[in-house]
Amino acid sequence: MGFVRNMKIRVKLMAGFGIMVLFMGVVGYAGFSSLGGVQRELETIFSVQMPSIDFLIEADRDLQQLLVAERSMIFTDPNSTMFEQFVKEYETSLSQSDTRWNKYKALATTAREKELFEVYETARKAWQIDSRQVVELAQKATDEASGQATALTLGSAKKHFEQMRDQLDKLTEINLDLAQRASESATATYKSAKTILLVAILFGVSVGVSLAWFISRMITRPVNAMVDGLKDIAQGEGDLTKRLEEGDRDELGELAAWFNTFMEKLQGLMKEMAQNATSLGTASNTLAELSTGMSASAEDMSGRSDTVYSAVEEMSSNINNVAAAMEQSSTNVGVVAASAEEMSSTINEIAQNAGKARSISDRAVDTATGASEQMDALGNAATGVGKVVETITEISEQVNLLALNATIEAARAGDAGKGFAVVANEIKELAKQTSDATLDIKGKIANIQESTDGAVSGIDEISKVIKTINDIVATIASAVEEQSAATQEIANNIAQVSSGVQEVNENVNQSSSVAAQISRDIGTVNQSAGEMAGSSGQVQVSAEDLRRIAQTLNSVVASFKV
């Protein structure tokens, strides 16, 4: 039985048909042999017995005619035409009987017949001698000759003739008996052949039905099991852990084995897809968190830039006030001695404003440094988001490739794979949506990176400008200290005070222009921060879309049991 299970379907069918063909050959041979026996018996009857009987009957008839002609010549005038006719009939019948006897002898085969040949031929020779004498006596046409002819034909010739006919009768009975036995043998052979054929046909039908049932069961049983398994998989809950029973080692067993291999690969692909979907969800959550943090950082940077902008505006106003005071000091340099106290108080105010400006510039430096660090972090986060998006793109491409492979395998599976084809198409559409969303996110991240690079460059420039302002404020502080010292010696060093006032006036004008430039740069930073905040909002929206896609992909993968 195990040997049969390892056979291919083609071999099973060929073996079954081979057995039937062999059996039909045996039946045909038996029938052919039986028909050959019947044919031989019939040929014996028609080619030997029937011709032999016919030749014997014809020879006996010829002898009868010969006897009639012989005796008729006794009572006929030898000179008449009738006598000549009787002589002619006599010779013809004698020749024909001799010819037919020779033909019969050629057909005779039994020893019993051959034993009677000698008796017949001896009687025939003796009869021919007597018959010739009767004809000769009849030709003399005398009463004595007629009397002798009559006595001879009714005596010795009749005795030999009857002895000869007895042999013909015996031979005829022998051939009739042989024909009867051949007929009985043919009938027996026919009945035996009919019985054998009937038994063989019944046996062949039973064997054929048994083979058909056995082979059909060997084929339909695994087919039905496979159909039930596929139906269970197709109508179930997407259970990819189920396998078909491989059973026999035939083509259906190979089909089940390859289907199980396909299910294992599909199960692995689904597991990998589930892992990738989980990674996609994690990446989308990370992206959402990064976008939220980026939005918060952008808003904080915008607030800080507003603060710096206000501080710079205030510093610019103070510097303008200082510039106006210095202009007034420059016009009143001639009365410096009389206004020393007023100048001292002005210098104190300048010192206070310089300290305040220095504090504001320090805060601006710290704020610019923090903004630069935050922009660097934002750039790094955007780079990380870009890598995440690239990972998501790779995942979507893998998902698309997996969906394509699943579609191909479902198409190979035929009708049984239609459910997988639908799922594969849905996964393919989700992968396409994911790819489109990642491309959109990638474009937006590229915009964020460009804005971030611009903001970083602007903040670096602001930092440089603020450092310059800090240096200028330090210079102003030094100048104020020098003015304070010079105030004590103002009476004696009025020329030095005048030059110092000029230098302070130039520095204040330079600080005013630098402060205006800082104000414009901080306005640009504020605008970039607003744009970055808007871009981070778009990133957050895209991250939410990506999270929803990841949840949809997870729900699709969760519909399969792996």
Side-chain angles (χ1 to χ4, degrees):
M1 188 64 181
F3 174 74
V4 176
R5 290 171 61 87
N6 293 331
M7 292 173 62
K8 302 292 185 182
I9 294 177
R10 177 172 57 86
V11 177
K12 293 176 182 178
L13 293 175
M14 290 181 65
F17 285 114
I19 293 172
M20 291 302 300
V21 170
L22 179 62
F23 183 77
M24 290 174 64
V26 172
V27 173
Y29 178 76
F32 180 78
S33 299
S34 299
L35 291 176
V38 174
Q39 184 180 8
R40 286 191 297 272
E41 297 295 338
L42 293 176
E43 286 180 354
T44 301
I45 293 173
F46 288 103
S47 63
V48 178
Q49 271 69 49
M50 294 296 291
S52 297
I53 294 171
D54 183 66
F55 289 145
L56 289 172
I57 294 173
E58 292 294 329
D60 183 66
R61 183 178 61 83
D62 291 335
L63 291 175
Q64 288 290 338
Q65 291 177 353
L66 187 150
L67 180 62
V68 170
E70 174 192 326
R71 292 181 177 180
S72 296
M73 284 188 289
I74 297 173
F75 304 101
T76 305
D77 183 7
N79 297 319
S80 64
T81 304
M82 186 174 293
F83 186 86
E84 292 178 358
Q85 184 176 357
F86 286 147
V87 172
K88 185 176 181 181
E89 290 178 0
Y90 176 86
E91 295 296 336
T92 302
S93 297
L94 181 62
S95 176
Q96 287 179 351
S97 66
D98 188 55
T99 300
R100 285 164 178 163
W101 170 255
N102 290 328
K103 289 181 179 180
Y104 164 71
K105 284 179 65 177
L107 295 175
T109 57
T110 63
R112 186 180 176 188
E113 289 177 289
K114 292 179 181 180
E115 291 176 357
L116 298 176
F117 289 169
E118 185 177 355
V119 178
Y120 173 81
E121 290 178 349
T122 301
R124 181 181 178 88
K125 289 179 180 179
W127 173 78
Q128 282 184 353
I129 293 172
D130 292 340
S131 180
R132 287 293 181 183
Q133 291 180 357
V134 170
V135 172
E136 291 176 355
L137 290 173
Q139 287 177 349
K140 292 180 178 179
T142 62
D143 293 337
E144 183 181 0
S146 297
Q148 291 176 354
T150 302
L152 183 61
T153 190
L154 294 176
S156 176
K158 180 179 179 182
K159 178 182 177 181
H160 294 143
F161 184 82
E162 289 178 353
Q163 186 179 8
M164 185 174 57
R165 286 197 63 197
D166 289 339
Q167 304 307 315
L168 291 177
D169 291 338
K170 290 179 181 180
L171 291 172
T172 301
E173 290 177 357
I174 290 172
N175 281 277
L176 287 173
D177 183 62
L178 290 174
Q180 180 66 28
R181 282 189 290 176
S183 176
E184 292 176 353
S185 177
T187 302
T189 303
Y190 167 72
K191 291 180 179 180
S192 176
K194 184 170 69 173
T195 302
I196 292 173
L197 289 175
L198 181 60
V199 173
I201 290 171
L202 293 176
F203 180 74
V205 169
S206 61
V207 171
V209 171
S210 300
L211 284 175
W213 180 83
F214 181 69
I215 294 175
S216 64
R217 179 171 175 80
M218 285 193 300
I219 295 174
T220 57
R221 182 177 55 81
V223 169
N224 291 330
M226 190 177 299
V227 170
D228 292 337
L230 292 174
K231 184 177 180 181
D232 189 15
I233 293 173
Q235 294 181 351
E237 298 297 330
D239 191 356
L240 300 181
T241 61
K242 292 185 178 180
R243 297 293 184 269
L244 297 178
E245 182 181 357
E246 297 184 7
D248 298 341
R249 299 295 182 183
D250 54 9
E251 288 84 353
L252 294 175
E254 291 183 358
L255 176 61
W258 285 113
F259 180 80
N260 291 336
T261 303
F262 166 71
M263 289 298 292
E264 289 178 0
K265 290 184 178 180
L266 184 60
Q267 184 179 6
L269 293 175
M270 284 299 175
K271 287 182 179 179
E272 184 178 357
M273 191 181 298
Q275 294 175 357
N276 292 330
T278 303
S279 301
L280 180 62
T282 304
S284 63
N285 291 329
T286 303
L287 182 62
E289 293 176 357
L290 290 174
S291 63
T292 302
M294 187 170 63
S295 297
S297 299
E299 291 177 356
D300 183 64
M301 184 178 69
S302 179
R304 291 178 180 271
S305 64
D306 288 337
T307 303
V308 171
Y309 184 77
S310 299
V312 170
E313 286 291 335
E314 184 178 357
M315 183 180 68
S316 178
S317 177
N318 292 331
I319 290 174
N320 289 329
N321 293 331
V322 171
M326 291 303 298
E327 287 291 334
Q328 186 177 2
S329 296
S330 179
T331 58
N332 296 323
V333 70
V335 291
V336 171
S339 304
E341 292 182 359
E342 183 179 357
M343 182 178 177
S344 178
S345 62
T346 302
I347 290 172
N348 289 331
E349 184 179 358
I350 292 171
Q352 291 176 359
N353 290 328
K356 188 175 181 180
R358 185 171 184 178
S359 176
I360 291 171
S361 65
D362 289 335
R363 287 172 58 191
V365 169
D366 294 336
T367 302
T369 301
S372 178
E373 291 176 354
Q374 289 178 358
M375 292 305 294
D376 290 335
L378 180 61
N380 294 330
T383 302
V385 171
K387 292 181 179 180
V388 171
V389 170
E390 292 178 356
T391 301
I392 293 170
T393 303
E394 294 177 357
I395 291 171
S396 64
E397 292 176 352
Q398 292 178 0
V399 170
N400 194 10
L401 182 59
L402 293 175
L404 180 60
N405 290 332
T407 303
I408 294 172
E409 294 297 335
R412 290 180 181 175
D415 295 335
K418 289 183 177 178
F420 297 105
V422 174
V423 175
N425 289 328
E426 185 177 357
I427 293 173
K428 185 176 181 182
E429 291 297 326
L430 293 174
K432 183 178 180 182
Q433 294 177 5
T434 303
S435 178
D436 295 337
T438 53
L439 289 176
D440 188 15
I441 292 171
K442 190 173 182 181
K444 293 178 179 179
I445 289 174
N447 294 330
I448 292 172
Q449 288 178 340
E450 291 177 359
S451 300
T452 302
D453 292 337
V456 169
S457 299
I459 290 172
D460 289 336
E461 186 67 23
I462 291 171
S463 179
K464 292 178 182 179
V465 172
I466 292 175
K467 286 181 181 179
T468 302
I469 292 174
N470 194 15
D471 293 336
I472 293 172
V473 171
T475 302
I476 293 172
S478 298
V480 169
E481 290 176 358
E482 290 176 1
Q483 286 296 322
S484 178
T487 302
Q488 297 177 0
E489 300 176 357
I490 193 169
N492 300 323
N493 298 308
I494 189 66
Q496 185 177 357
V497 170
S498 178
S499 63
V501 169
Q502 288 289 358
E503 184 178 357
V504 170
N505 191 18
E506 291 177 359
N507 290 332
V508 168
N509 289 329
Q510 185 177 1
S511 296
S512 178
S513 63
V514 170
Q517 182 66 36
I518 290 173
S519 178
R520 289 192 297 271
D521 291 339
I522 289 176
T524 303
V525 170
N526 192 9
Q527 183 179 1
S528 298
E531 293 178 354
M532 185 174 65
S535 298
S536 64
Q538 293 179 356
V539 170
Q540 187 173 6
V541 173
S542 299
E544 290 296 329
D545 293 337
L546 187 60
R547 180 185 295 174
R548 286 193 298 272
I549 293 172
Q551 290 175 354
T552 304
L553 185 59
N554 280 322
S555 63
V556 171
V557 173
S559 64
F560 293 95
K561 182 179 179 181
V562 296

